[in-house]
């Protein structure tokens, strides 16, 4: 795993699902006394506002526990997710992705990371 490989700063893109679950794992590691830090890279302010209350609560709990929260765009714009994904790659030493083998933002992010010689660890098909 990344922690055992010497990584101790983790960035989450803060989307529902894997992003928030991964951030919660890092918070759990922090709560157990492990020397890790969490950066939340949210695509824009109030990103979670249209989600159901359970996901909103989880999102806000993660933001509250993060070491740094970075809003990539102030407000929604069509390119905010693209910008967020590139920002994360540009600020990391390894990308960890869950990928279903289909096109979309995760594929573009993996390709961008590989083009920038950032190692990619993922589960799924590629």
């Amino acid at each position: 795993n990344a922690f055992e490989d010497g990584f101790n700063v983790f960035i989450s893109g803060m989307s529902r699902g894997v992003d928030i679950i991964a951030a919660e794992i890092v918070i759990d590691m922090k709560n157990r006394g492990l020397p890790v830090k969490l950066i939340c890279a949210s695509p824009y302010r109030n990103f979670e506002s249209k989600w159901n209350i359970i996901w909103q609560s989880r999102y806000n709990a993660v933001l509250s526990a993060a070491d740094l929260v970075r809003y990539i765009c102030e407000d929604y714009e069509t390119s905010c997710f693209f910008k967020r994904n590139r920002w994360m790659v540009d600020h990391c030493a390894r990308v960890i992705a869950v990928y279903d083998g289909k096109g979309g933002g995760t594929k573009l992010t993996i390709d961008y990371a590989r083009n920038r010689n950032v190692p990619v660890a993922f589960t799924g098909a590629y």
Side-chain angles (χ1 to χ4, degrees):
N1 78 28
F3 182 73
E4 291 171 354
D5 289 345
F7 294 95
N8 65 346
V9 177
F10 298 88
I11 303 172
S12 171
M14 296 305 294
S15 288
R16 281 176 297 189
V18 171
D19 288 6
I20 289 177
I21 292 166
E24 291 169 336
I25 290 168
V26 174
I27 293 165
D28 181 62
M29 292 169 68
K30 283 176 58 170
N31 291 340
R32 290 186 287 122
L34 295 173
V36 295
K37 294 188 182 284
L38 175 64
I39 299 171
C40 295
S42 186
Y44 59 93
R45 290 187 187 278
N46 300 311
F47 171 48
E48 82 292 358
S49 64
K50 295 181 179 163
W51 298 352
N52 71 47
I53 192 70
I54 294 168
W55 280 110
Q56 285 184 24
S57 176
R58 290 175 75 172
Y59 175 91
N60 287 305
V62 168
L63 290 185
S64 295
D67 296 284
L68 176 68
V69 176
R70 175 72 187 258
Y71 295 99
I72 304 307
C73 298
E74 191 60 29
D75 297 306
Y76 173 79
E77 56 187 69
T78 56
S79 63
C80 63
F81 298 101
F82 178 78
K83 289 177 180 178
R84 183 226 21 218
N85 294 347
R86 287 200 168 204
W87 186 92
M88 290 190 299
V89 170
D90 291 343
H91 291 85
C92 77
R94 177 190 285 174
V95 170
I96 302 169
V98 175
Y99 180 57
D100 63 7
K102 298 177 183 172
T106 303
K107 181 184 184 324
L108 291 173
T109 303
I110 291 169
D111 291 345
Y112 180 70
R114 288 182 168 160
N115 288 336
R116 298 194 43 91
N117 296 313
V118 175
V120 178
F122 60 89
T123 60
Y126 188 81

